[in-house]
Amino acid sequence: MEESVLVIKAEKYLKEISNDDISIDDIDEFENFKNLYFKLDDRLKSLKQLRRDMEVQGYGTPFTSLNKYGTKSIGEVSLEEVSENSRHNQIFRNKANAKKNILDRVKSAIDSHQIALAHLDQFGYLKCDSCYKKYSVSEYKQLNGKCSCKSDSFSFKISRQNTYRIEIIPFLPLSGNYRVLMADLSKYGRNSFKKVINALKQERTGHVKTISPLFRYKDKN
Ligand SMILES: [Zn+2]
C-alpha cells in the first residue's frame, strides 16, 4: 500500500470511531454489554493491524531519510539546488509529521480501547446454565456461543468483587483524540496531567512502581 494511502485510511477509520457515540445505558442487559464489548474488541484488532502496517512502513521513525544534499558535499551544491532541496525537505517534513501524528493517534486509540475492554471484562461474566462453568466475556467471545459441555445457554452476571469503572468509557479518547481532550482541560488539569505523565516516564531517578493520585476539585458554588 502506498505510504500516504495509509495515512488517509487511518484518518478515515479514526473519524468513524469519533462519530460513533458510545453509550453505557442499560449495560447490565446482556445484549447491550455484548454489543459494546464485541464492537470495541473488533475495533481493537483493526487498530492493531493499522499500527503494524504503519510500523512496517517506517511511521515510527519518519524523519530518518531526511537528507539535505544527498551525497554531495556542501561546496558542490548550487544555490538553486539548495532552494529546491529546502522546498523538497519542507514537503517531506510535512509528510513525516503527518505520519508521526497519525501513528500517535492510533496508539492512543489502542490504549483507550484496551482500557475500556479491561473494565468491561471486570464488570460482567457468563455462567453456563448446564455445567455452571464461568467465562469472562473475552473467553465467551472465543467460544462462539457454545460451552465446552456443548450447552449454548448462558446467564449473564455482574461481578460483585471485581473493580471496574465502566462509566469512564464514553470519556476515553477512543479515536486517539487525547490532545483535543487535553486542550479542554483547565490549566490546573493540564499541569496535573503532565505531572502524572512525567512521573510515569520516570524522569527522576529510580523506578516508579506505584502512583497515588490526589484529586482536588472545585465546587461551582
Ligand atoms: Zn457448560
Side-chain angles (χ1 to χ4, degrees):
M1 198 186 296
E2 218 247 304
E3 285 179 44
S4 51
V5 175
L6 197 51
V7 174
I8 295 164
K9 188 182 163 190
E11 276 172 355
K12 200 173 153 230
Y13 191 58
L14 293 175
K15 177 114 191 133
E16 261 175 52
I17 294 178
S18 81
N19 285 341
D20 179 27
D21 271 336
I22 294 292
S23 160
I24 53 157
D25 293 345
D26 300 320
I27 196 76
D28 44 1
E29 280 170 32
F30 182 55
E31 272 309 299
N32 297 332
F33 174 82
K34 183 181 139 189
N35 289 341
L36 180 59
Y37 188 93
F38 281 28
K39 176 161 80 176
L40 294 175
D41 194 48
D42 291 342
R43 271 193 201 160
L44 178 63
K45 283 196 185 77
S46 306
L47 287 164
K48 282 183 171 172
Q49 185 59 50
L50 265 177
R51 182 182 63 188
R52 270 195 294 277
D53 292 347
M54 286 174 167
E55 282 170 350
V56 166
Q57 292 199 5
Y59 278 44
T61 50
F63 294 98
T64 43
S65 51
L66 193 64
N67 181 353
K68 266 193 176 169
Y69 304 112
T71 52
K72 288 182 185 174
S73 69
I74 295 294
E76 293 175 81
V77 179
S78 72
L79 269 178
E80 273 166 53
E81 227 175 323
V82 171
S83 99
E84 183 55 38
N85 263 314
S86 93
R87 240 197 323 276
H88 178 260
N89 275 354
Q90 191 51 50
I91 295 167
F92 185 88
R93 219 175 272 281
N94 290 345
K95 280 190 178 171
N97 268 322
K99 288 180 190 173
K100 196 168 157 278
N101 290 338
I102 198 76
L103 178 59
D104 185 52
R105 283 188 59 199
V106 168
K107 283 181 177 173
S108 158
I110 289 174
D111 292 343
S112 305
H113 277 73
Q114 280 172 331
I115 293 169
L117 289 164
H119 281 274
L120 289 171
D121 233 335
Q122 294 292 303
F123 174 76
Y125 65 95
L126 289 115
K127 202 170 172 181
C128 171
D129 291 333
S130 171
C131 71
Y132 306 114
K133 193 171 171 186
K134 286 182 187 171
Y135 292 98
S136 70
V137 59
S138 52
E139 288 166 341
Y140 173 79
K141 195 170 184 241
Q142 311 287 327
L143 293 177
N144 288 323
K146 265 214 166 86
C147 178
S148 53
C149 78
K150 307 270 188 257
S151 164
D152 58 2
S153 171
F154 294 89
S155 298
F156 178 55
K157 308 273 182 195
I158 292 163
S159 169
R160 291 177 196 281
Q161 305 131 25
N162 293 345
T163 311
Y164 44 78
R165 289 284 308 274
I166 50 167
E167 64 276 21
I168 66 167
I169 294 173
F171 301 100
L172 290 169
L174 292 166
S175 65
N177 57 333
Y178 75 97
R179 283 171 199 273
V180 180
L181 296 181
M182 240 167 80
D184 288 341
L185 290 174
S186 66
K187 199 174 168 221
Y188 181 75
R190 265 198 300 279
N191 287 338
S192 309
F193 180 75
K194 274 184 203 151
K195 275 188 197 165
V196 174
I197 295 297
N198 285 341
L200 287 170
K201 278 184 180 163
Q202 306 180 356
E203 287 208 336
R204 286 163 214 283
T205 51
H207 275 305
V208 179
K209 291 226 170 88
T210 59
I211 286 192
S212 311
L214 172 68
F215 295 99
R216 277 183 227 154
Y217 69 94
K218 269 194 225 156
D219 213 295
K220 276 207 173 125
N221 302 312

